[in-house]
Amino acid sequence: MKLKFTSYLANRKNGYFSYLAEIIALFAIYFSTAKLGLSLDAVSRFATLIWLPVGFAIAALLLFGYRLWPGIIVGAFLVNLLHGAPLFVALGIGIGNTLEALVCTYLLKRNGFSYSLDHLRDVLLLVLLAMPLSAITGATIGVSSLFLGKVIASSSYYLTWEAWWTGDMISILILTPFLLTWSKWPRGKTSIKRSAEIGILTLLVLAVGLIVFLGLFHADERRYPITYLVFPPLIWASWRFGQRGATAAMFAFSILASVGTIQALASFPPGRLSMSLLLLQSFMGIMAVTSLILAAVMAERRELEQRKDEFISMVSHELKTPLTTIQGYTELLHARFAQQGNQEALLSISKMATQIAKLSKLIADLLDISKIQAGRLAFAKEPVDIDLLVREVVEDLQHTTSQHQISIEGIEQRKIVGDRERLGQVLINLITNAMKFSPRAERIAVHLSHTHDTLTVSVQDFGIGIPKAHQQMIFERFYRVYSDQDRTYPGLGIGLYIAHQIIERHGGKMWVESVEGQGSTFSFSLPLAGEA
Ligand code: ADP
């Protein structure tokens, strides 16, 4: 049904009949929800703390345009008239309620409000400007009409106004954001893991809501302050599912709270319920604002992360092309100078080539990062002889250092299934790190061992080591250990992240054991062929 609504919004025609149908629909929703609200122990008969119509009205004006205002004025006028308001009072309330929705819509539209509420700015715009001003408009015109029509005395003006304002505020803070964020159905498939999470969260929201709100108004006054229980599921929903999660959880809580209220009507003497309700609704308002802000901050963070990933991907692609050209010309020059026997130039060219190789490695790592983020890192599946691979990598790297002696301990003669090149990349990363971070040591040891179903490779160095607090974090993207006393080591903090991802994608594990000042041992284990 929601999908149909989304496509209706997109393909809506501006015909006269659809205009009329929209007005009638808004009128029907306004009238029926207003009737429900007025039946719930309204203060001075007309100011109710559960006032859904304004939330619907504002969402409707935002989504369908100002032109639906007649639906509001007719709905508000009729419902109040039928509830016993004198004609001019009902008309005053009708005008006030319509202006309220128009003011809110105007302030939001004028300031570039986004319906997804994905930025803190949108939430603050709603909470600090549009909501207060429009609720003040509605409450002031409505309650003044009651006062001028002699329905209420001046002594009850403030109490009535307070209830009116609170009811409207809740509706604008809970219902409107819910309708706006869900007016577009989420696109894309939901993974099984995420669906399971949604399921558990929904159950939790319902369970907590039932405990908190349906037990809240028990007549025996045995009310424990358990309302705070709503925060964990609410924070979970905002954190993991953004504004849609936050508004849906809040909406579910407010429905349960309203059901609890209706249930309690029987056991509360008239007038008593509205006091409890006022406290409850203020609490709901604070909860709604908190979750809207949290979800917006999380959404902004996600957006920044995404932009950063896009930037890295773009930069690495842009850098790759000129570098390949430079590499080509360097090789050409090398060949020319070799022909001419120009040793001096050859030396410079080989220095250039070393730096170009470093740059290429950096760019390749950055490209890998963006591929991992986009889930596009491809892996071959072939039998890999780990002994041979370790020997080849160690031999290659031994040529690059005169300081370190790299030894291999243990021969396994076992195969695993995976991507030879990627696993080689992991080994190169661990051994070059071992060299880089043990500037005063002379030895690096590569150990091979196995259990009945896994094969483990460890790279041990006797260098600076890693403080305990950092050991879990070094596998995260861009994480580097900084220390004041030590010299700084070049790097971007991405090698271990890529290595960790590669090993995980092979169904393996990677870990580190390290003592600061004594050295580190980085290990990874992989399932043996036939066990994967
Ligand atoms: P990079 O070395 O390019 O900064 P890595 O992801 O390979 O990035 O490593 C992340 C961080 O982990 C390094 O900055 C360093 O602080 C720490 N680290 C990695 N390997 C070692 C090691 N063998 N000894 C000590 N610290 C290490």
Side-chain angles (χ1 to χ4, degrees), residues 433 436-437 461 466 474 479-481 491-496 520:
N433 270 356
K436 181 162 73 173
F437 295 106
D461 69 58
I466 303 162
I474 50 171
Y479 195 87
R480 311 197 65 232
V481 182
L492 294 180
I494 51 183
L496 281 181
S520 316

Side-chain angles (χ1 to χ4, degrees), residues 362 365 429-438 459 461 463-467 470 473-476 478-482 489-498 512 514 519-522:
L362 267 180
D365 278 355
N429 184 269
L430 295 186
I431 299 173
T432 45
N433 270 356
M435 297 186 329
K436 181 162 73 173
F437 295 106
S438 61
V459 177
D461 69 58
I464 61 168
I466 303 162
H470 297 280
M473 262 101 82
I474 50 171
F475 297 108
E476 282 171 21
F478 308 124
Y479 195 87
R480 311 197 65 232
V481 182
Y482 289 101
Y489 296 85
L492 294 180
I494 51 183
L496 281 181
Y497 169 74
I498 297 172
V512 62
S514 181
S520 316
T521 304
F522 280 86

Side-chain angles (χ1 to χ4, degrees), residues 157-189:
Y157 188 99
Y158 178 70
L159 267 185
T160 317
W161 190 93
E162 184 186 44
W164 196 301
W165 190 85
T166 311
D168 287 10
M169 162 194 81
I170 290 300
S171 190
I172 301 173
L173 288 183
I174 297 176
L175 183 58
T176 307
F178 173 73
L179 294 171
L180 292 178
T181 49
W182 286 93
S183 65
K184 268 205 189 115
W185 193 249
R187 277 201 274 159
K189 270 195 187 161

